[in-house]
Amino acid sequence: MADGKIQPMIVVCPTYNNESEEDSADYSLALQLTENYHNELVNDLIPAVEGTYSTYAEETSPEGLRASRDHRAFCGFSMGSVATWRTFEYCLDYFRYFMPSSGSLTNDGEVMASMVQDSGHDWNDFFIFAASGTDDFAYSSFKNQIEAMADESSGTFRYADNEGEGNLYFLEQDGGTHNGEYAMEYFYNGLCWIWK
């Protein structure tokens, strides 16, 4: 931010997960928690942050938060990426930018397109900056999802490196593995790009 590469922003780092060590290792529970996470996100977390700090939201009512969606992004790595896809599914009214990395939801492009269509949004109402490493164990399924979205026949998802021409960008890190260092690289690149 100091160098002007990234726009000034408030970064909030919550988790979909709970604090129990036993539950944290339960994959099926993690999937359930990511699917329900949007309720707490929209009803509690966003109003708490935007009601405390100076943001683009003029008020923290649902209407006020929807009106300021262009100034909000959601990103996540691994199971956090699944939480990002679920946020995309349930919260397009509240976020314009999404940065999933190394965690897929489905390889059905029609399902992903229906999320947009059912929300009443169009292809130019959002942008997805997706990233994964070629040596990441999640890379294959993640890439399959991105390609299925781009291949979906309605034109809901369009590859581009800018918002004027499309809404889907896929960064592939040659040799990147499934770890936090690569996640930070993906988020850095995404945050350098959005709001420019």
Side-chain angles (χ1 to χ4, degrees):
M1 286 183 220
D3 293 338
K5 295 178 182 177
I6 297 174
Q7 294 296 307
M9 66 184 71
I10 298 167
V11 178
V12 182
C13 298
T15 179
Y16 67 88
N17 212 345
N18 55 31
E19 299 298 317
S20 167
E21 291 183 15
E22 295 80 21
D23 290 348
S24 296
D26 186 334
Y27 184 75
S28 62
L29 176 61
L31 290 175
Q32 179 184 348
L33 292 172
T34 61
E35 184 158 5
N36 293 324
Y37 176 70
H38 69 279
N39 295 307
E40 184 177 359
L41 176 66
V42 170
N43 296 321
D44 302 309
L45 184 58
I46 297 174
V49 171
E50 305 226 12
T52 301
Y53 299 99
S54 177
T55 71
Y56 285 92
E58 293 184 14
E59 57 181 51
T60 59
S61 67
E63 296 79 15
L65 296 176
R66 285 193 291 266
S68 58
R69 71 181 285 274
D70 287 353
H71 304 281
R72 210 170 289 118
F74 194 98
C75 61
F77 175 75
S78 192
M79 192 58 74
S81 181
V82 178
T84 303
W85 291 121
R86 289 298 186 190
T87 301
F88 179 82
E89 177 179 8
Y90 295 114
C91 302
L92 259 173
D93 284 348
Y94 297 93
F95 292 88
R96 182 178 185 87
Y97 299 98
F98 299 87
M99 291 187 284
S101 57
S102 301
S104 60
L105 184 62
T106 178
N107 63 1
D108 189 329
E110 289 182 11
V111 168
M112 295 303 297
S114 70
M115 293 175 187
V116 177
Q117 295 154 6
D118 293 348
S119 73
H121 288 279
D122 204 348
W123 73 267
N124 58 353
D125 288 335
F126 63 91
F127 198 93
I128 299 168
F129 186 100
S132 187
T134 59
D135 290 347
D136 189 315
F137 69 79
Y139 171 74
S140 178
S141 61
F142 189 76
K143 183 175 182 174
N144 287 343
Q145 176 176 338
I146 299 300
E147 290 178 342
M149 291 165 61
D151 291 342
E152 197 275 327
S153 62
S154 70
T156 301
F157 302 103
R158 304 170 187 195
Y159 278 129
D161 63 357
N162 65 83
E163 288 187 80
E165 298 176 13
N167 57 18
L168 181 62
Y169 182 79
F170 184 30
L171 175 69
E172 297 175 86
Q173 175 62 51
D174 188 38
T177 59
H178 198 84
N179 68 60
E181 288 183 24
Y182 284 106
M184 293 301 103
E185 185 176 322
Y186 306 150
F187 298 151
Y188 172 80
N189 281 281
L191 290 173
C192 284
W193 186 85
I194 63 174
W195 296 307
K196 289 287 188 181

